[in-house]
């Protein structure tokens, strides 16, 4: 250390002294990256890439094997081209997903890996779906904190550094028992009581901060409970509204882990994916805020069961309340006020409860018939 300090002192004196040869003093160039909050090595090179509205974006979806990623990739590939949408996850994809378009391994906790993916594939839009959901997060808070918060920080820094358009979903779980519940506006007291909700409020505020501080094009939708037929429940409090359809067709019986009167906002997946595309494509000057509520319907387990019985009169529903999930549901909104999304960028849902039930039953019944018709190959 003394040697290093002496060398530093000598170098400093040499730089500050006037040279006897009459040459200009030596100057040291220092690069500062004003738009990136993370320190970058001095030998990094940066290239400005112009992106016009007529070009197709190059999209990366993290956490792509979850409930929403595969469906969004299909929608975006149809609009922008198969090779312009890259699905990523840390899990091995099923064959149909792997062969449907580009798929790569991506760990959001590995900053270097993420940065290489963005640079090597010239990504312009990033959809960040990696997260642990509410009930799963409560069972493993440390992992949820790591994935939902530390992973988000990596995403934010890379998006700011490379000028990406970043979409991060939020949730009804971003609200708490002190929030107005019926309806819940875009801006109000939040104070969630789950690590999932806390991490989503953190994401909303960090995204808006990066937007104002670094000019990041951050966009966020607070999703209600999302119902889809082609994916199994993934650990969320609203998952009963998916499981009931699978159990109704398979056994004619369903045991619900929430009270029959637990009202929550819900949405069919097609509406959710379309809303995500619409807010991503919305001109920036139409967005009066960076985080919006979106909604389609609100119902209770009992109301959903009654609608199902119109098609399946023999359906039996019993209730075995999970106190953890019930406490979460009781702290969440009963209905979302999404008037700002409807006014700013024209959001409008297509599916109400009757259409939702009919669509789910049609899909699952066709899948059941298809599976019965499959013929196993002979050895």
């Amino acid at each position: 250390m003394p040697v290093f300090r002496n060398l530093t002192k000598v170098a400093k004196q040499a730089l500050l002294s006037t040279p006897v040869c009459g040459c200009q003093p030596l100057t040291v160039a220092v690069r500062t990256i004003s738009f990136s909050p993370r320190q970058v090595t001095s030998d990094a090179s940066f290239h400005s890439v112009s992106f016009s509205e007529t070009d197709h974006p190059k999209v990366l979806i993290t956490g792509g094997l979850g409930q929403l990623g595969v469906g969004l990739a299909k929608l975006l590939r149809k609009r922008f081209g198969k090779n312009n949408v890259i699905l990523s996850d840390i899990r091995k994809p099923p064959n149909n997903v792997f062969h449907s378009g580009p798929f790569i391994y991506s760990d959001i906790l590995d900053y270097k890996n993420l940065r290489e993916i963005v640079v090597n594939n010239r990504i312009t839009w990033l959809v960040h779906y990696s997260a642990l959901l509410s009930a799963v997060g409560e069972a493993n808070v440390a992992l949820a904190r790591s994935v939902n918060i530390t992973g988000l920080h990596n995403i934010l820094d890379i998006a700011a550094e490379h000028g990406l358009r970043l979409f991060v979903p939020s949730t009804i779980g971003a609200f708490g028992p002190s929030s107005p519940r019926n309806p819940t506006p875009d801006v109000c007291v939040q104070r969630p009581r789950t690590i999932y909700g806390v991490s989503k409020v953190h994401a909303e505020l960090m995204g808006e901060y990066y937007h104002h501080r670094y000019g990041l094009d951050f966009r966020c939708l607070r999703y209600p409970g999302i119902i889809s037929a082609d994916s199994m429940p993934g650990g969320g409090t609203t998952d009963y509204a998916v499981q009931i359809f699978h159990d109704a067709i398979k056994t004619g019986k369903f045991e619900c882990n929430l009270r029959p009167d637990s009202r929550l906002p819900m949405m069919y997946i097609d509406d959710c994916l379309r809303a995500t595309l619409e807010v991503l494509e919305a001109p920036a000057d139409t967005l009066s805020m960076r985080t919006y509520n979106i909604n389609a319907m609100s119902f209770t387990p009992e109301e959903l069961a009654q609608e199902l019985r119109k098609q399946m009169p023999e359906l039996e529903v019993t209730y075995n309340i999970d106190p953890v999930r019930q406490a979460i549901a009781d702290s969440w909104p009963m209905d979302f006020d999404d008037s700002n999304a409807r006014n700013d960028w024209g959001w409008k849902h297509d599916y109400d409860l009757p259409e939702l039930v009919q669509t789910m039953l049609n899909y699952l019944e066709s899948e059941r018939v298809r599976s019965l018709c499959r013929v196993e190959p002979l050895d």
Side-chain angles (χ1 to χ4, degrees):
M1 289 298 292
V3 174
F4 179 79
R5 290 193 188 98
N6 289 335
L7 289 173
T8 303
K9 184 181 296 183
V10 170
K12 183 177 181 181
Q13 290 172 349
L15 289 171
L16 295 176
S17 63
T18 304
V20 297
C21 64
C23 302
Q24 291 297 319
L26 177 65
T27 57
V28 178
V30 178
R31 173 180 291 172
T32 59
I33 308 301
S34 61
F35 54 83
S36 176
R38 189 174 292 227
Q39 290 183 341
V40 182
T41 57
S42 59
D43 61 346
S45 60
F46 294 85
H47 303 277
S48 177
V49 179
S50 62
F51 178 72
S52 71
E53 292 297 326
T54 59
D55 293 330
H56 288 319
K58 194 68 177 289
V59 186
L60 174 66
I61 302 174
T62 68
L65 296 183
Q67 182 186 24
L68 300 174
V70 174
L72 184 65
K74 182 178 180 181
L75 179 64
L76 296 181
R77 284 167 179 164
K78 184 177 180 181
R79 190 168 188 87
F80 303 129
K82 175 179 176 179
N83 293 324
N84 286 320
V85 180
I86 301 175
L87 206 58
S88 72
D89 210 302
I90 59 173
R91 295 178 291 159
K92 182 179 178 180
N95 286 337
N96 65 309
V97 173
F98 183 75
H99 294 292
S100 65
F103 181 92
I104 58 176
Y105 173 89
S106 175
D107 180 358
I108 62 167
L109 297 178
D110 186 340
Y111 178 82
K112 183 175 182 291
N113 170 245
L114 272 175
R115 194 162 180 254
E116 287 176 349
I117 290 170
V118 168
V119 171
N120 292 343
N121 294 281
R122 303 181 73 237
I123 299 300
T124 55
W125 289 9
L126 201 164
V127 176
H128 180 49
Y129 274 152
S130 295
L132 264 66
L133 301 183
S134 55
V136 174
E138 290 305 291
N140 194 337
V141 172
L143 181 61
R145 185 177 63 235
S146 179
V147 172
N148 295 8
I149 296 179
T150 304
L152 170 77
H153 293 172
N154 289 339
I155 292 290
L156 286 168
D157 286 349
I158 289 169
E161 178 182 332
H162 295 283
L164 309 185
R165 181 170 297 180
L166 174 63
F167 176 82
V168 179
S170 189
T171 167
I172 54 174
F175 297 95
S178 56
S179 307
R181 297 187 65 209
N182 191 19
T184 303
D186 285 303
V187 180
C188 64
V189 173
Q190 292 183 255
R191 312 291 293 180
R193 290 187 176 176
T194 66
I195 186 61
Y196 178 59
V198 168
S199 70
K200 286 302 183 181
V201 173
H202 178 77
E204 294 175 12
L205 296 178
M206 287 294 289
E208 292 183 18
Y209 172 78
Y210 271 56
H211 171 67
H212 294 295
R213 177 68 174 81
Y214 301 110
L216 174 64
D217 189 356
F218 172 80
R219 303 176 184 214
C220 177
L221 296 178
R222 293 192 187 108
Y223 291 156
I226 304 302
I227 301 173
S228 64
D230 58 354
S231 62
M232 294 301 294
T237 301
T238 59
D239 279 352
Y240 85 86
V242 177
Q243 191 65 53
I244 189 172
F245 290 97
H246 291 275
D247 290 358
I249 288 178
K250 186 176 181 180
T251 67
K253 299 179 181 180
F254 174 66
E255 183 178 88
C256 184
N257 52 28
L258 296 181
R259 289 195 317 267
D261 63 346
S262 301
R263 182 173 300 280
L264 293 167
M266 300 283 187
M267 179 177 288
Y268 185 56
I269 189 169
D270 286 8
D271 276 341
C272 173
L273 298 178
R274 180 171 54 82
T276 303
L277 174 58
E278 287 178 3
V279 78
L280 274 166
E281 290 191 313
D285 59 5
T286 66
L287 304 178
S288 64
M289 55 188 63
R290 289 286 155 170
T291 299
Y292 288 90
N293 294 343
I294 54 168
N295 197 17
M297 65 196 93
S298 291
F299 56 74
T300 67
E302 180 58 29
E303 289 170 350
L304 177 57
Q306 289 175 359
E307 191 65 35
L308 258 169
R309 289 193 185 101
K310 293 179 182 178
Q311 307 290 331
M312 306 178 69
E314 304 302 318
L315 174 65
E316 297 180 17
V317 177
T318 57
Y319 295 89
N320 182 17
I321 310 305
D322 178 342
V324 173
R325 293 183 188 235
Q326 187 62 59
I328 293 172
D330 288 342
S331 71
W332 282 358
M334 299 169 68
D335 195 13
F336 256 167
D337 176 0
D338 62 355
S339 56
N340 285 314
R342 294 176 185 268
N343 293 333
D344 286 1
W345 44 275
W347 162 241
K348 183 179 180 182
H349 70 278
D350 288 334
Y351 291 84
D352 288 311
L353 183 56
E355 293 82 7
L356 164 71
V357 169
Q358 191 64 61
T359 301
M360 289 287 288
L361 290 177
N362 289 346
Y363 181 91
L364 293 174
E365 182 62 26
S366 66
E367 285 296 298
R368 187 184 71 85
V369 172
R370 192 177 295 116
S371 66
L372 293 175
C373 293
R374 291 193 186 107
V375 178
E376 293 296 327
L378 297 176
D379 293 336

